[in-house]
C-alpha cells in the first residue's frame, strides 16, 4: 500500500511514462518502502526529492546502423539513461537483447541509483543498451555493431561523466570492442570510461566473477544471520551467463550443491551437482546452448525444454537470468518445497506477488539491489585502480568484495531494524540506498 502523497507521485509517474511497465514496477517497489522515511524527514518531501529521483536527469535515444556479413544493412536503437549523478558519475551497464526498450533501460537505471548508493562508493546511477540481438551473430558482426553503437555513445560518456559496463549480452568481448572504438575516436586511453575491461588493457581482477561471487557472499551472510550456512544445501541458480556461472562457482566453494541451471530454452537438472568446467566450456568457450550440457554430461542429466527452472525444489534460490522470472505461483511452490533463502543475482527477477509470498513466509529474501551489488562495486574498484594506475591482486580484490557485501548486508539489517521491519532486506536496501542519495541531493541544491 502506498502512503497518500506517494500514491499521487506514483500516478504521475504512470502518466508521464506510459507503457513502461517494468519502470513502473521498479518505482512502485521503492515508493512502498520509503513512506516511513518521509515521516522522519519532512525535508525530503519539501524539496520534492522523490519526484526528482523518478525523473532521469537525461535520456538519450539514438540510431545504430550496421552491416551484417552479407552486406545487408540493419538499424537498431541505442539507449543511455543518465538517471542520477548526486553521488558520482552515472554508472551502470549496457544490455544488448531484443526485449530492450526505454522502459527496461529506465527500470534498470532507476534500480541502479539505489544499488550504487548502497555500495557506499562514489557512483551515480545510469543504464543503457540496445534491442540488438547478439545471438547467432558472427564476431565481426558483433564488432561492427559495437563500433557503431560507440560512435554515438562516446560523446555522452567519460570517466567523470558516465561510465558504462556489461549486462545481458555484453561481456568482456563486447566491452573490448566498445573501448577500442572509444579510444580510436577520442585518441585517449581513458581506462576509467568503461568497466569490465580485459586484464591486458586496464581491467580489474574479480570484475568478471564479481556479481555472482558477491551474490553468494550476500546469501552466505543471510544464512549466517539465521545460524546456518551453504554447507550441504541444495541450490538452484537460473541462467547460465556471467552472473549464474560465477554464482555457481562460489556456492560450490562455500559447500552448497547446485543441482540446476537454465537458459532461455529450458533447464538442466544434475543431481550430482553442476559440472562447472563443462558448463564454462560450453557457455564461455563454445558460446553454445545448455542443451549440449545434458548431452555431454551423461544419462543422469536431462534437459527440460520450455519450462521454468523454479519447478525444481531447492533450499536456496539464486535467480540470475532476467526480470520477473519468479512469479507468485513459483514462489508459493518454492516455499512449499522448502526454500529458505533467495538471493537475486539478476535485476528484479521476482514479481511483486513473489516477493510478498517470500516475505510473508519468512524466507530470507535478498533483493537484487543489495545481493547483486558486488558487480558494480567491483566496477568502482576498477575505476579506482584505473585512476591511480594501480592493479590489485585477485585475493586483495576478492577480500574487498567480500567486505563490501558484508557491509551492505549489515546496513540492510540495521536499517530494517531501525524502521521496525526486522529481517526485511527489501525495506532495508531501499531505505538505506534512498537516504544517501536524498541527503546528497539536498546538499547539492535544486539539481
Ligand atoms: P548474460 O547475458 O551473461 O546471461 C544471461 C542469462 O540469462 C543467459 O543464460 C540467458 O539465456 C538468460 N536469459 C536472458 N534473458 C532471458 C529471458 N528473457 N528469459 C530466460 N532467460 C533469459 O547476462 P548476465 O549474467 O550479465 O546478467 C544476468 C542478470 O544479472 C540480468 O538481470 C542483469 O541485469 C543482472 N546483473 C548483471 C550484472 C553483471 O555484472 N553482468 C550486474 C548486476 C546484475 P540465453 O543465453 O538463452 O539468452
Amino acid at each position: 500500500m502506498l502512503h497518500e502523497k506517494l500514491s499521487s507521485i506514483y500516478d504521475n509517474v504512470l502518466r508521464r511514462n506510459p507503457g513502461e511497465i517494468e519502470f513502473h514496477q521498479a518505482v512502485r517497489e521503492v515508493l512502498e518502502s520509503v513512506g516511513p522515511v518521509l515521516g522522519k524527514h519532512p525535508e525530503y518531501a519539501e524539496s520534492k526529492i522523490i519526484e526528482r529521483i523518478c525523473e532521469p536527469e537525461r535520456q538519450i535515444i539514438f540510431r545504430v546502423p550496421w552491416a551484417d556479413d552479407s552486406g545487408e544493412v540493419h538499424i537498431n536503437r541505442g539507449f543511455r539513461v543518465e538517471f542520477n549523478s548526486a553521488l558520482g558519475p552515472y554508472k551502470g551497464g549496457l544490455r544488448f537483447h531484443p526485449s530492450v526498450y526505454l522502459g527496461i533501460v529506465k527500470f534498470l537505471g532507476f534500480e541502479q541509483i539505489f544499488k550504487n548508493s548502497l555500495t557506499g562508493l562514489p557512483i551515480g546511477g545510469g543504464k543503457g543498451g540496445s534491442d540488438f540481438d547478439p545471438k547467432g551473430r558472427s564476431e565481426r558482426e558483433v564488432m561492427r555493431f559495437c563500433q557503431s553503437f560507440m560512435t554515438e555513445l562516446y560523446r555522452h560518456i567519460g570517466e567523470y561523466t558516465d561510465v558504462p559496463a556489461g549486462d545481458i549480452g555484453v561481456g568482456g568481448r563486447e566491452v573490448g570492442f566498445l573501448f577500442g572504438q572509444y579510444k580510436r575516436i577520442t585518441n585517449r586511453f581513458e581506462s576509467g570510461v568503461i568497466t569490465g575491461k580485459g586484464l591486458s588493457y586496464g581491467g580489474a581482477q574479480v570484475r568478471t566473477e564479481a556479481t555472482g561471487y558477491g551474490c553468494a557472499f550476500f546469501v552466505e551472510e543471510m544464512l549466517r544471520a539465521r545460524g546456518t550456512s551453504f554447507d550441504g544445501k541444495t541450490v538452484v541458480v537460473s541462467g547460465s551467463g556471467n552472473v549464474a556461472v560465477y554464482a555457481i562457482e562460489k556456492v560450490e566453494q562455500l559447500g552448497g550443491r547446485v543441482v540446476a541451471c537454465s537458459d532461455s530454452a529450458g533447464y538442466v537438472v544434475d543431481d550430482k551437482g553442476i559440472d562447472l568446467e563443462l558448463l564454462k566450456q560450453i557457455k564461455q568457450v563454445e558460446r553454445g546452448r545448455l542443451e549440449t550440457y545434458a548431452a555431454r554430461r551423461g544419462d543422469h542429466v536431462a534437459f527440460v525444454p520450455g519450462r521454468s527452472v523454479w519447478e525444481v525444489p531447492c533450499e536456496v534460490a539464486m535467480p540470475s537470468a532476467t526480470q520477473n522470472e519468479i512469479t507468485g505461483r513459483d514462489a508459493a511452490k518454492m516455499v512449499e518445497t522448502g526454500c529458505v533463502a533467495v538471493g537475486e543475482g539478476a535485476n528484479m527477477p521476482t514479481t511483486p506477488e513473489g516477493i510478498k509470498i517470500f516475505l510473508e513466509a519468512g524466507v530470507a529474501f535478498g533483493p537484487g539491489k543489495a545481493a547483486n551489488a558486488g558487480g558494480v562495486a567491483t566496477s568502482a574498484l576498477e575505476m579506482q585502480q584505473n585512476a591511480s594506475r594501480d592493479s590489485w591482486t585477485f585475493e586483495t580484490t576478492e577480500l574487498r568484495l567480500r567486505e563490501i557485501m558484508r557491509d551492505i548486508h549489515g546496513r540492510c539489517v540495521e536499517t530494517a531494524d531501525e524502521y521496525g521491519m526486522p529481517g526485511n532486506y527489501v525495506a532495508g536496501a531501499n531505505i538505506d540506498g534512498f537516504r544517501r542519495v536524498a541527503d546528497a541531493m539536498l546538499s547539492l541544491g535544486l539539481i
Side-chain angles (χ1 to χ4, degrees):
M1 269 291 284
L2 283 178
H3 170 289
E4 194 184 328
K5 171 101 184 80
L6 290 172
S7 174
S8 100
I9 295 176
Y10 182 64
D11 288 344
N12 225 7
V13 168
L14 297 184
R15 192 178 53 74
R16 288 165 68 89
N17 304 279
E20 297 175 0
I21 50 175
E22 297 83 1
F23 177 52
H24 303 163
Q25 183 182 334
V27 169
R28 189 174 176 104
E29 191 214 282
V30 170
L31 297 193
E32 279 177 353
S33 296
V34 299
V37 187
L38 298 186
K40 282 198 184 182
H41 293 274
E43 68 277 20
Y44 294 160
E46 278 155 26
S47 297
K48 302 222 165 147
I49 294 289
I50 308 240
E51 290 89 328
R52 281 153 63 191
I53 274 187
C54 292
E55 184 69 22
E57 289 176 18
R58 192 175 299 107
Q59 309 180 54
I60 303 146
I61 303 182
F62 51 99
R63 179 172 66 198
V64 190
W66 58 283
D68 67 21
D69 288 343
S70 70
E72 188 184 341
V73 172
H74 299 261
I75 294 101
N76 283 99
R77 190 170 281 180
F79 301 89
R80 187 73 186 164
V81 173
E82 299 181 332
F83 228 115
N84 195 301
S85 60
L87 296 178
Y90 310 104
K91 182 87 197 82
L94 298 170
R95 176 176 292 191
F96 293 169
H97 192 271
S99 63
V100 168
Y101 77 108
L102 190 59
I104 293 269
V105 182
K106 277 164 74 176
F107 118 64
L108 291 164
F110 185 75
E111 293 257 309
Q112 199 82 44
I113 303 170
F114 307 100
K115 180 191 307 192
N116 293 3
S117 166
L118 261 180
T119 66
L121 297 163
I123 38 180
K127 199 84 186 189
S130 173
D131 56 359
F132 170 70
D133 187 358
K135 251 187 229 136
R137 291 291 172 196
S138 71
E139 187 144 315
R140 295 267 148 184
E141 289 175 326
V142 170
M143 181 178 76
R144 282 197 292 276
F145 175 81
C146 289
Q147 290 176 337
S148 181
F149 186 85
M150 185 53 86
T151 301
E152 172 58 32
L153 188 69
Y154 89 94
R155 68 189 84 246
H156 307 289
I157 60 176
E159 71 178 302
Y160 298 108
T161 314
D162 183 356
V163 184
D167 191 82
I168 291 178
V170 179
R173 176 182 69 174
E174 291 73 19
V175 168
F177 295 149
L178 290 162
F179 181 64
Q181 183 73 351
Y182 181 86
K183 194 175 76 56
R184 187 177 185 200
I185 297 174
T186 60
N187 194 30
R188 283 165 65 86
F189 198 102
E190 191 185 334
S191 319
V193 73
I194 191 164
T195 58
K197 298 182 294 296
L199 293 176
S200 58
Y201 62 93
Q205 297 281 359
V206 195
R207 176 59 191 94
T208 308
E209 296 84 354
T211 308
Y213 277 22
C215 189
F217 291 146
F218 192 88
V219 174
E220 185 189 31
E221 291 300 312
M222 292 199 301
L223 293 171
R224 195 200 310 275
R226 294 177 169 222
T228 177
S229 73
F230 266 118
D231 206 22
K233 293 240 173 4
T234 303
V235 181
V236 168
V237 175
S238 65
S240 47
N242 172 268
V243 178
V245 163
Y246 293 103
I248 296 172
E249 182 162 286
K250 189 50 71 181
V251 166
E252 289 184 353
Q253 288 170 12
L254 294 172
R257 196 167 56 96
V258 183
V259 295
C261 65
S262 64
D263 65 13
S264 56
Y267 68 83
V268 290
V269 185
D270 186 340
D271 292 331
K272 293 187 183 159
I274 295 290
D275 177 340
L276 196 64
E277 287 319 305
L278 178 60
L279 185 68
K280 281 185 178 175
Q281 171 66 27
I282 293 167
K283 298 302 290 190
Q284 298 181 342
V285 180
E286 299 169 23
R287 293 183 181 271
R289 307 297 302 158
L290 200 55
E291 195 169 0
T292 312
Y293 176 93
R296 287 202 207 152
R297 175 79 163 131
D299 288 344
H300 72 285
V301 177
F303 178 73
V304 183
R307 297 186 64 98
S308 163
V309 72
W310 300 115
E311 62 191 22
V312 180
C314 63
E315 293 165 283
V316 177
M318 298 175 70
S320 305
T322 194
Q323 63 276 356
N324 291 328
E325 51 169 299
I326 300 185
T327 63
R329 251 174 85 162
D330 295 327
K333 186 92 187 146
M334 288 159 77
V335 168
E336 201 185 300
T337 51
C339 178
V340 295
V342 178
E344 292 189 326
N347 286 310
M348 212 167 75
T350 314
T351 61
E353 301 73 41
I355 296 176
K356 191 161 176 280
I357 288 167
F358 287 136
L359 293 181
E360 283 174 4
V363 169
F365 179 81
K369 272 186 211 92
N372 71 37
V376 75
T378 310
S379 275
L381 301 181
E382 183 174 334
M383 290 162 72
Q384 197 175 323
Q385 291 166 74
N386 292 150
S388 57
R389 306 207 184 283
D390 197 359
S391 75
W392 309 345
T393 63
F394 193 95
E395 291 70 27
T396 305
T397 319
E398 189 182 3
L399 204 64
R400 188 81 182 87
L401 169 65
R402 199 167 193 158
E403 281 166 7
I404 290 170
M405 297 316 293
R406 274 198 190 135
D407 189 48
I408 293 174
H409 176 270
R411 269 181 297 112
C412 288
V413 169
E414 278 166 28
T415 309
D417 284 350
E418 182 188 336
Y419 279 84
M421 293 175 270
N424 186 333
Y425 292 91
V426 176
N430 283 335
I431 294 174
D432 195 73
F434 170 76
R435 280 192 305 201
R436 187 160 171 251
V437 184
D439 287 339
M441 288 176 77
L442 279 182
S443 305
L444 292 170
L446 197 54
I447 53 159

